[in-house]
Amino acid sequence: MTIPRLRGAALATVTLVAVGSMVAPGSADAAPGDPAAPRYSAGAASVGDPYFPDEGNGGYDVQHYDLNFSYDPATRLMAATATITATAMHDLDQFNLDFRGPEISSLTVDGHAHDFTRDGQELVVTPRPKLKTGQAFTVVVRYAGVPGLITDPDGSIEGWVPTDDGAFVVGEPQGTPAWLPANDHPTDKATFRFTAKVPEGLTAVGNGQLLSQQTRDGWTTFIWDSTEPMASYLATITIGKFEVTESTTPSGIPVYVAVDPRQVAGSAAAVAQIPRMIDFFSSTFGPYPFASTGAIIDRAPDVGYALETQTKPVFSGSASVGTMAHELAHQWYGDSVSPERWSDIWLNEGFATYAQWMYTEYNGGASVSQTFNSSSNYGRAPSSSFWQIVLADPGPEDMFSNIPYNRGAMTLHALRGKVGDDTFFRILREWASSHRHSHAATADFIALSERASGQDLKAFFDVWLFQKGKPTTW
Ligand code: TRP
Ligand code: ZN
């Protein structure tokens, strides 16, 4: 059975109906009056995020993704086995994964081969035997071919982006299903392991720690292990010719930096400051949330942006000091604390931008209040179109425009003025600690700010987050 693709407002209603009444037809399992009897229904085809209505799925929770694959840049062909370990959240006779990758040759659930259907990004699975609430299950998907390249609402590209020496792999906000079947929404984090086999001479760099690297018969296999939960959009396994440097920060965190030889000169200053950035942010925001750090600096000119891939941000060109600070700050805000809905994107971009302003000041550059007042920020004329977008709901086309970044950072600076330095930094640290390795929404941030400050901040946040126009009083 193929379930229809559900869109927008219709989704919530249809999902409710499905949960309430879609007992398997003719099933003897659901004896009326027996509360313990299973009541099977289909997991929702989406989590209902209005910016990306097909993203994510309901009915189960993923614990771990294991992807074992080979990739040859000469042919652009991948051959992969993905093993997904999950738990059923209700009695399931069907569930979906998000997948926009190449042809699937087989799919099993707990070792039983299964039919499946594909419709857009929905990979629909009907497990038999059916799955009961709380049951752990394992899905194995084998596939081969050319991984996907995805175009975003703003016209930028993501997913599996071929480069002249490998592939640049980024997934925010919807690129990871291009190469990995996933429950692709930040509300379902999991641990990851990548085993990547690439032609000898190339390096595959993934999130987390390198467990092993072995060359045999002209191919090198890299095993990367992410031991802390990660949102699927933060996954990478970027492949190319890299110069690799391994070190540790003064506080003992392992650092793995891979740089395309053509980007070494242009990125040297940013790379040199990674340990200092991690230590500055740790003392300001609280302990670094992961077991290792680093960076991947590649050449992917058609991408044109960097991404805060967990433990190792990835750069499509040479890395500036400011962008490096921004991407490393995301490790606290965005990666460890992820947005509950994509409309909350200012919680990522505003925080990382504010951290970048702070690092500039710490480094002897412009003060945070000078940056706040500059012509790219509060100094913009009230008539500027910049002020015409609502920060708490910029829309999918503007989620990576300068609104979430600059108005977001300005909002934090204005909050700092409102509640004072001590309370402000307590709020930032508590935000990182109380939602560590999880996700949170704008309403949670407002509640925390009011609780920590003892102030009624409704009017403040209304002006900065929910109204258009240049704030004048707050
Ligand atoms: N989150 C990234 C950063 O701020 C930027 C980013 C991710 C992006 N995906 C994008 C920018 C798509 C433009 C288009 O570092
Ligand atoms: Zn960012």
Side-chain angles (χ1 to χ4, degrees), residues 359-414:
Y359 187 76
T360 300
E361 178 179 272
Y362 174 71
N363 235 1
S367 71
V368 166
S369 59
Q370 281 168 339
T371 306
F372 176 92
N373 284 307
S374 82
S375 58
S376 347
N377 295 309
Y378 198 69
R380 285 176 194 269
S383 58
S384 164
S385 62
F386 174 87
W387 301 110
Q388 290 316 307
I389 286 171
V390 172
L391 180 54
D393 189 13
E397 286 91 12
D398 277 316
M399 61 185 287
F400 299 112
S401 73
N402 55 9
I403 312 303
Y405 292 71
N406 295 48
R407 187 171 178 141
M410 278 187 262
T411 300
L412 290 178
H413 192 62

Side-chain angles (χ1 to χ4, degrees), residues 172 306-308 326-327 330 333 348-350 352-353 356 400 405:
E172 190 189 27
L307 180 64
E308 61 268 25
H326 179 103
E327 305 308 338
H330 268 307
Y333 304 117
N348 286 16
E349 301 307 344
T353 302
Q356 186 183 342
F400 299 112
Y405 292 71

Side-chain angles (χ1 to χ4, degrees), residues 167-191:
F168 185 81
V169 181
V170 283
E172 190 189 27
Q174 51 168 349
T176 297
W179 52 279
L180 178 71
N183 189 21
D184 188 38
H185 195 270
T187 47
D188 188 3
K189 294 190 177 187
T191 53

Side-chain angles (χ1 to χ4, degrees), residues 38 40 149 166 168 214 226 328 367 376 389 473:
Y40 293 105
L149 183 67
F168 185 81
Q214 272 189 341
S226 287
L328 291 179
S367 71
S376 347
I389 286 171
T473 49

Side-chain angles (χ1 to χ4, degrees), residues 236-299:
T236 192
I237 181 77
T238 287
I239 297 161
K241 287 196 185 98
F242 290 116
E243 287 183 12
V244 173
T245 313
E246 291 186 76
S247 61
T248 48
T249 66
S251 55
I253 298 164
V255 186
Y256 183 106
V257 179
V259 189
D260 184 308
R262 297 165 291 186
Q263 314 291 22
V264 169
S267 307
V271 167
Q273 291 184 52
I274 291 174
R276 176 177 154 78
M277 289 172 180
I278 294 289
D279 283 1
F280 173 64
F281 292 145
S282 301
S283 63
T284 313
F285 304 139
Y288 178 70
F290 306 114
S292 66
T293 185
I296 308 166
I297 304 174
D298 200 359
R299 178 168 288 198

